[in-house]
């Protein structure tokens, strides 16, 4: 077992190795507060009923014991004069120019809201918001300064737990994010280096969890924000190899090329890639975290359209540049599996990502063309801008037939109708499985990035019936997100189809799993008996923020990365 010091050094080394290309903010795990910080963040709980004055009892955790009495007295004197009451997210900055108390020249006091939050998830989310607001206030001081704008000289910030070290670390990491790798130094944002004001192994563990999960979401944000000419399908796979190189003992990556895609008869996927000169790729990532390498895996599928022009059914030019983020499902998928590997989550997982551009050209698929998917179903391509469901159809079928997971979660920026239905507050989840929904819903609440259940109902299938094929890829304006979901469901094999399949022996030898016949425990789930629990998660509405919102700033959001990580961590064993 690693000592705390070894764990801290390992974490720092791992973070440096894993984010060579995407380094949105600096983080540090340390066992105790360092007095050379440029700023300190402390939390103050809101006044209880019947109490008229803020005092030491309102301070969060370690601030009470670490801060000298003289500092605490000065803090309460200044914040009382500024009408500060501890309202959640409210920030006051206190300055000590010569740092005479050897604490920090800047102290950010942030409100934590009520003492009496009834749920752990509420406490953690309050900590996220408080930490994020405090970091933003500190960064704003240095935006016009030339100091602290490089990774070699960041703002060093120590942070109290704010009632939850995980929440404080996540909020600070998310708020510290910048995407300015391609800007000159003069136009870059201040960089932040954060450390916890804590001193025991439990606190450090919670802090590291928050760092990992915040970094994973920032990774997804960076991938989604990267211009499409700098993140083609080939370049995405190169980034994946670099990202997982520190975890070669628990992960395995395969990058499949055009010939492999053709050999596997992925005609729906190929129909989308035909218009682009960039070759498609099919990325396969296996993570072995369980003690039993044959334990039934969780499967995740992410949509990887690295740029979506709409194809022949071309999109309007306004905001088309946003379609560099149409690989948001792929970004969330790869970031989730990275976090699982980094945190050594005790589950097995297989992730597949079909990667392509959707472009118009003389060789592009035309509206009205007919293609055959991997499962043999014919599809009329009524609209080439409904391309995501075509590449996902083959990816879903492949991972289901090959690995027979107990659960299959698919993530995609699929429909504008999802944005109209739910906006940016909730992410829509389409599933027939109450068990899977329960796990995802609880994970979303805990992560502060919530889901809303949507109908996956056969009643919508009539809208995607075709006169010339088994299916067509759009079902009209009515219920657009629901018809897209039921289309994808057509490519999830039923238990009966899995029982009837004729297995390619070479594939079976490579992907054999140990399945028990009469158990409902997901660890030994028999997909041939129980089927596969499937959820389609449409992230189109939460893909992008037009302005800062809570602890997520303007731009690509990377949502719902942390919710999927929480699902993998905490609800796997609970799906019984």
């Amino acid at each position: 077992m690693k000592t705390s010091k070894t764990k801290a050094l390992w974490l720092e080394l791992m973070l440096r190795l894993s984010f060579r290309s995407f380094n949105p903010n600096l983080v540090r795990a340390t066992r105790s507060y360092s007095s050379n910080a440029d700023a300190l963040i402390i939390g103050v709980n809101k006044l209880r009923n019947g109490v008229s004055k803020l005092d030491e009892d309102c301070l969060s955790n370690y601030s009470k014991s670490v801060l000298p009495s003289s500092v605490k007295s000065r803090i309460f004197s200044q914040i009382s004069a500024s009408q500060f009451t501890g309202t959640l997210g409210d920030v006051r900055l206190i300055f000590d120019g010569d740092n005479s108390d050897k604490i920090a020249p800047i102290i950010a006091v942030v409100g934590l809201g009520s003492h009496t939050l009834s749920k752990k998830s509420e406490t953690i989310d309050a900590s996220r918001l408080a930490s994020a607001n405090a970091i933003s206030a500190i960064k704003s001081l240095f935006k016009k300064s030339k100091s602290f704008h490089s990774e070699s000289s960041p703002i060093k910030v120590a942070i109290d737990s704010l009632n939850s070290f995980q929440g404080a670390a996540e909020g600070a990491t998310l708020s510290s994010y910048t995407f300015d790798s391609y800007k000159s130094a003069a136009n870059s944002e201040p960089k932040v280096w954060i450390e916890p004001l804590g001193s025991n192994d439990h606190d450090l563990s919670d802090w590291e969890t928050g760092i990992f999960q915040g970094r994973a979401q920032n990774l997804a944000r960076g991938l989604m924000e990267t211009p499409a000419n700098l993140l083609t399908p080939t370049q995405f796979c190169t980034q994946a190899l670099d990202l997982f190189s520190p975890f070669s003992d628990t992960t395995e990556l395969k990058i499949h090329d055009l010939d492999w895609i053709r050999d596997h008869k992925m005609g729906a996927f190929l129909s989308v890639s035909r218009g682009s000169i960039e070759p498609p790729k099919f990325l396969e990532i296996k993570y072995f975290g369980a003690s039993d390498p044959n334990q039934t895996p969780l499967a995740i599928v992410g949509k990887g359209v690295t740029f979506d022009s709409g194809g022949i059914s071309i999109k309007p030019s306004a905001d088309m540049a946003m379609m560099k983020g149409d690989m948001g499902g792929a970004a969330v998928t790869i970031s989730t599996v990275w976090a699982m590997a980094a945190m050594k989550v005790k589950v097995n997982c297989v992730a597949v990502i079909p990667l392509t551009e959707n472009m118009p050209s003389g060789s592009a698929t035309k509206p009205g063309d007919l293609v055959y998917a991997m499962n043999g179903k014919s599809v009329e391509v009524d609209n080439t801008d409904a391309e995501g469901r075509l590449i996902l159809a083959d990816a879903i079928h492949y991972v289901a037939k090959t690995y027979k997971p107990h659960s299959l979660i698919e993530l995609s920026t699929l429909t504008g109708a999802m944005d109209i239905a739910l906006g940016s507050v909730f992410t829509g989840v389409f599933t027939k499985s109450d068990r899977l929904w329960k796990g995802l819903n609880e994970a979303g609440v805990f992560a502060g990035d919530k889901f809303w259940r949507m109908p996956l109902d056969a009643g919508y299938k009539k809208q995607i019936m075709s006169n010339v094929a088994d299916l067509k890829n759009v079902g009209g304006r009515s219920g657009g997100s629901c018809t897209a979901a039921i289309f994808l469901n057509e490519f999830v094999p039923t238990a009966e189809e899995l029982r009837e399949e004729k297995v390619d022996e070479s594939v079976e030898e490579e992907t054999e799993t140990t399945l028990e016949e009469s158990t409902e425990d997901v660890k030994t789930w028999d997909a041939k008996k129980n089927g596969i629990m499937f959820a389609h998660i449409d992230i189109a509405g939460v893909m992008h923020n037009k302005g800062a919102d809570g602890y997520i700033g303007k731009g690509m959001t990377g949502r719902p990365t942390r919710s999927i990580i929480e699902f993998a961590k905490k609800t796997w064993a609970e799906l019984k």
Side-chain angles (χ1 to χ4, degrees):
M1 184 175 178
K2 295 183 178 70
T3 66
S4 295
K5 183 177 181 180
T6 303
K7 285 170 64 180
L9 292 172
W10 170 83
L11 169 64
E12 187 172 344
L13 175 62
M14 184 280 304
L15 289 171
R16 289 171 184 261
L17 286 172
S18 299
F19 287 88
R20 293 167 188 159
S21 299
F22 298 99
N23 192 16
N25 70 286
L26 299 165
V27 293
R28 177 182 177 190
T30 184
R31 293 200 65 202
S32 60
Y33 167 61
S34 172
S35 62
N36 66 351
D38 300 302
L40 170 66
I41 298 174
I42 64 172
V44 174
N45 294 293
K46 195 172 183 179
L47 285 171
R48 296 183 178 92
N49 291 334
V51 179
S52 59
K53 184 179 179 181
L54 292 170
D55 57 24
E56 185 173 328
D57 288 338
C58 297
L59 285 172
S60 60
N61 294 57
Y62 290 96
S63 299
K64 293 180 184 179
S65 58
V66 172
L67 296 181
S69 297
S70 59
V71 174
K72 287 183 280 191
S73 176
R74 181 159 53 86
I75 288 172
F76 285 111
S77 174
Q78 292 197 32
I79 63 176
S80 296
S82 67
Q83 305 300 310
F84 180 85
T85 61
T87 299
L88 179 59
D90 196 12
V91 181
R92 296 290 188 274
L93 296 178
I94 297 172
F95 302 94
D96 181 7
D98 59 3
N99 194 16
S100 57
D101 292 304
K102 305 300 181 184
I103 297 298
I106 301 169
I107 298 177
V109 183
V110 60
L112 301 176
S114 173
H115 276 275
T116 57
L117 295 175
S118 59
K119 297 179 180 178
K120 183 178 180 181
S121 60
E122 293 176 344
T123 300
I124 292 177
D125 205 46
S127 180
R128 287 189 196 102
L129 182 60
S131 179
N133 284 8
I135 289 289
S136 294
I138 293 168
K139 284 176 63 179
S140 67
L141 293 174
F142 301 99
K143 281 192 174 180
K144 295 182 179 180
S145 168
K146 293 182 180 180
S147 303
F148 306 119
H149 282 243
S150 72
E151 294 179 358
S152 61
S153 60
I155 310 167
K156 297 176 183 177
V157 182
I159 306 176
D160 188 22
S161 74
L162 311 180
N163 295 334
S164 166
F165 268 114
Q166 178 180 339
E170 284 185 8
T173 302
L174 293 169
S175 184
S176 299
Y177 169 84
T178 61
F179 187 81
D180 54 10
S181 302
Y182 306 107
K183 291 183 178 181
S184 62
N187 293 314
S188 65
E189 292 286 318
K191 304 300 183 293
V192 178
W193 182 293
I194 59 178
E195 63 181 29
L197 186 64
S199 59
N200 63 57
D201 289 345
H202 181 268
D203 294 334
L204 182 57
S205 176
D206 286 349
W207 174 265
E208 289 177 354
T209 295
I211 293 295
F212 280 127
Q213 297 188 176
R215 292 290 309 234
Q217 184 166 345
N218 283 351
L219 170 63
R221 295 162 82 180
L223 288 166
M224 295 170 71
E225 205 73 71
T226 301
N229 64 319
L230 302 179
L231 196 65
T232 63
T234 300
Q235 290 167 321
F236 188 101
C237 292
T238 300
Q239 293 288 353
L241 289 171
D242 186 47
L243 187 66
F244 285 94
S245 61
F247 310 112
S248 57
D249 56 334
T250 56
T251 60
E252 178 184 335
L253 273 68
K254 294 181 180 179
I255 301 171
H256 302 298
D257 61 11
L258 179 60
D259 289 338
W260 183 94
I261 297 167
R262 285 173 176 158
D263 289 345
H264 282 72
K265 297 181 172 56
M266 296 183 175
F269 179 19
L270 286 170
S271 73
V272 177
S273 68
R274 286 176 52 186
S276 175
I277 61 171
E278 292 291 343
K281 300 292 181 183
F282 192 91
L283 177 60
E284 195 170 341
I285 306 170
K286 286 184 270 189
Y287 167 63
F288 304 97
S291 56
D292 178 5
N294 292 320
Q295 185 183 100
T296 310
L298 164 68
I300 307 177
V301 178
K303 174 185 170 184
V305 178
T306 57
F307 186 76
D308 181 19
S309 70
I312 297 297
S313 307
I314 198 163
K315 294 177 180 289
S317 59
D319 294 328
M320 191 190 285
M322 288 273 290
M323 289 299 97
K324 65 184 179 181
D326 206 28
M327 36 59 71
V332 171
T333 296
I334 197 172
S335 301
T336 296
V337 182
W338 172 84
M340 292 171 67
M343 293 190 289
K344 302 183 184 296
V345 176
K346 303 293 185 183
V347 300
N348 293 337
C349 179
V350 58
V352 298
I353 301 173
L355 292 153
T356 183
E357 293 182 335
N358 183 26
M359 298 292 286
S361 73
S363 60
T365 296
K366 305 173 293 296
D369 283 359
L370 186 143
V371 300
Y372 285 93
M374 184 183 180
N375 70 346
K377 290 185 179 181
S378 58
V379 180
E380 179 188 3
V381 183
D382 194 45
N383 186 325
T384 65
D385 194 25
E387 84 299 331
R389 64 201 73 180
L390 294 173
I391 72 171
L392 291 167
D394 285 336
I396 288 169
H397 187 74
Y398 169 79
V399 77
K401 294 282 271 191
T402 305
Y403 296 100
K404 301 173 185 63
H406 85 81
S407 297
L408 196 166
I409 297 173
E410 175 273 318
L411 297 131
S412 53
T413 50
L414 205 64
T415 65
M418 192 77 265
D419 184 32
I420 293 170
L422 295 180
S424 62
V425 178
F426 288 88
T427 301
V429 174
F430 298 77
T431 183
K432 295 179 180 179
S433 169
D434 292 338
R435 290 173 65 183
L436 188 54
W437 163 247
K438 179 177 182 292
L440 286 167
N441 184 45
E442 290 177 354
V445 170
F446 191 84
D449 193 353
K450 296 181 287 187
F451 296 115
W452 192 266
R453 193 173 187 178
M454 301 290 287
L456 185 61
D457 192 280
Y460 290 101
K461 187 175 177 180
K462 61 180 180 291
Q463 292 178 236
I464 57 170
M465 300 306 292
S466 167
N467 293 328
V468 299
D470 296 321
L471 302 165
K472 61 180 178 179
N473 73 327
V474 290
R477 289 179 58 83
S478 179
S481 60
C482 302
T483 55
I486 205 66
F487 178 90
L488 294 176
N489 193 65
E490 288 293 303
F491 300 90
V492 181
T494 64
E496 183 179 2
E497 289 170 337
L498 291 174
R499 288 194 297 270
E500 293 175 351
E501 71 175 332
K502 294 181 180 179
V503 180
D504 181 336
E505 292 182 0
S506 64
V507 174
E508 178 67 10
E509 182 179 354
E510 180 182 352
T511 62
E512 184 179 1
T513 57
T514 301
L515 301 172
E516 297 179 10
E517 290 186 353
S518 60
T519 178
E520 293 186 1
D521 188 331
V522 296
K523 295 178 181 178
T524 51
W525 185 270
D526 188 345
K528 293 182 179 180
K529 176 178 180 287
N530 302 313
I532 296 170
M533 293 184 284
F534 170 66
H536 157 56
I537 303 180
D538 192 335
I539 63 175
V542 301
M543 177 183 83
H544 182 268
N545 279 350
K546 293 181 179 179
D549 183 14
Y551 33 82
I552 307 296
K554 180 181 179 180
M556 299 296 178
T557 67
R559 294 173 60 190
T561 301
R562 289 178 300 105
S563 295
I564 304 301
I565 297 169
E566 288 292 351
F567 171 79
K569 280 170 39 188
K570 296 184 177 180
T571 61
W572 179 277
E574 296 170 9
L575 286 173
K576 297 181 179 178

